[in-house]
Amino acid sequence: MSTVLLTGANGFVAATTLKKLLERGHTVVGTVRSESKTTFLREQFKAAVDSDKLKFAIVDDITVPGAFDAVLRSYQFDVVSHTSSPFHYNISDIDKELLQPAVQGTIGILDSVHRVAPSVKRVVVTSSFASVVDRSQGTRPGKVYTEADWNPTNREEGLKDIGSGYFASKTLAEQAAWDFVKEKNPSFTLTTLCPPMVFGPPEQEVPSLAKLNTSNLDIYDIFNGTSDPRYGVWIWVDVRDLAEAHILAMDAAVAANQRYIISQGNYSPQMFVDYIWKHYPERAAAKGIKRHTPGKYYPDEGVYGVDASKSINDLGMKYTPIEDMLRDTLKSFEDLEAEGK
């Protein structure tokens, strides 16, 4: 079993990854920005905390050079799983709140591992399909994206607006990570995971359903009758599959210094609407959820696709169908509603 440093442990992807790591018997040290962020996780994973399988470390600002030095020196880590990078649109300063945390946080942890944690053999970084897709090409019918594709954006374009800033932050951070490995030739190997829209039952603290993670809000706002479907990226993955990819990438020799698209394939938010009307017809009617165009998921000309076969062949990934994700996610939303969230 490995000792794993999991950054941003209270986040949507990290909380699910944490659950799976503990189920597999790994020892985990999770970083969070403040002690208060550990309260929910300490309760959720009490047995692991009590048995010293789960510990926490405070890293209040991941952009500060050496931010991870202290925690990396405190334990003999085998693996670092870096998931902390912002995905939300409540931003006032693109450079300070999006670009810098993504790039400096990624380079900062690689640099710290290189300098002070020689026991670490593998670093797994959550990048994003945002670093693969070329937004300027739109729906790009017929295009099948692979790991060889890179978003051609740059820092200047990223400063134009928040959407561009998010895509640029992911691209620049991943490029910087690969440049670091090339220049420094560290003793660890790097694996980057590039998921698109990530949906699924939340394991992280949800103080209120209005404060769900950004992607799950795309589903809940339809389920709650408060928003029409929001269109953007046309491919998706279940958060539980992404967490599984993190764990598989920790140990797979073949994953050393490799990049993986982690995706089940295409989806459309109209699928959410159709599923809700099929399985929750009374709620859909009561909430006034519009049916829109049942069964019509994509523009007539089509949309781009994705080839995730590398993750299946190398890591042994098995992807969850969208119906299963929606069943489990909507059930978790009902549970949260019943708790008064």
Side-chain angles (χ1 to χ4, degrees), residues 313-330:
N313 296 335
D314 284 10
L315 305 178
M317 285 298 298
K318 296 180 178 72
Y319 287 106
T320 302
I322 199 159
E323 295 80 10
D324 293 3
M325 178 279 290
L326 284 168
R327 178 194 66 214
D328 298 343
T329 304
L330 295 176

Side-chain angles (χ1 to χ4, degrees), residues 40 204-213 336 339-341:
F40 175 82
Q204 81 278 17
E205 183 176 15
V206 180
S208 74
L209 280 156
K211 293 185 177 175
L212 267 171
N213 54 290
L336 287 163
E339 291 169 24
K341 306 282 184 166

Side-chain angles (χ1 to χ4, degrees), residues 51-225:
S51 61
D52 269 354
K53 296 293 281 184
L54 174 60
K55 303 179 182 75
F56 294 100
I58 310 303
V59 179
D60 60 353
D61 184 354
I62 66 172
T63 66
V64 172
F68 293 98
D69 284 12
V71 63
L72 283 165
R73 283 195 176 107
S74 301
Y75 304 91
Q76 282 281 103
F77 289 106
D78 304 294
V79 178
V80 171
S81 190
H82 180 55
T83 70
S84 57
S85 186
F87 175 34
H88 59 89
Y89 293 118
N90 185 21
I91 300 281
S92 53
D93 184 328
I94 293 170
D95 188 43
K96 196 173 171 187
E97 295 177 70
L98 268 180
L99 301 185
Q100 286 183 36
V103 176
Q104 301 304 332
T106 301
I107 292 303
I109 195 157
L110 296 180
D111 180 62
S112 288
V113 172
H114 182 50
R115 284 185 297 100
V116 308
S119 60
V120 172
K121 296 294 176 271
R122 175 70 50 86
V123 178
V124 183
V125 171
T126 306
S127 181
S128 172
F129 184 67
S131 70
V132 176
V133 68
D134 184 349
R135 281 176 93 213
S136 69
Q137 299 293 318
T139 53
R140 210 173 181 183
K143 167 67 178 174
V144 177
Y145 283 101
T146 73
E147 288 83 0
D149 289 298
W150 279 91
N151 179 349
T153 192
N154 57 38
R155 188 176 176 279
E156 287 65 40
E157 287 173 10
L159 292 171
K160 283 182 192 165
D161 57 72
I162 291 167
S164 302
Y166 174 73
F167 278 73
S169 77
K170 288 298 190 182
T171 307
L172 297 172
E174 191 187 349
Q175 286 171 340
W178 288 119
D179 288 345
F180 181 93
V181 169
K182 207 162 137 188
E183 288 162 18
K184 305 283 188 182
N185 193 25
S187 57
F188 61 83
T189 53
L190 174 68
T191 305
T192 61
L193 307 179
C194 299
M197 292 300 290
V198 184
F199 302 112
E203 294 291 342
Q204 81 278 17
E205 183 176 15
V206 180
S208 74
L209 280 156
K211 293 185 177 175
L212 267 171
N213 54 290
T214 302
S215 53
N216 270 346
L217 268 176
D218 283 0
I219 303 175
Y220 184 69
D221 284 350
I222 297 171
F223 193 52
N224 199 36

Side-chain angles (χ1 to χ4, degrees), residues 228-229 231 234 268-275 277 289-300:
D228 288 332
Y231 287 82
W234 296 97
S268 161
Q270 180 66 42
M271 293 173 178
F272 305 160
V273 177
D274 291 1
Y275 186 95
W277 267 104
I289 298 170
K290 295 176 190 161
R291 290 179 188 266
H292 296 283
T293 52
K296 178 160 175 50
Y297 298 138
Y298 307 108
D300 291 338

Side-chain angles (χ1 to χ4, degrees), residues 7 16 42 118 165 174 178 262 334:
T7 69
T16 303
R42 287 182 193 281
E174 191 187 349
W178 288 119
I262 305 296
E334 286 186 301

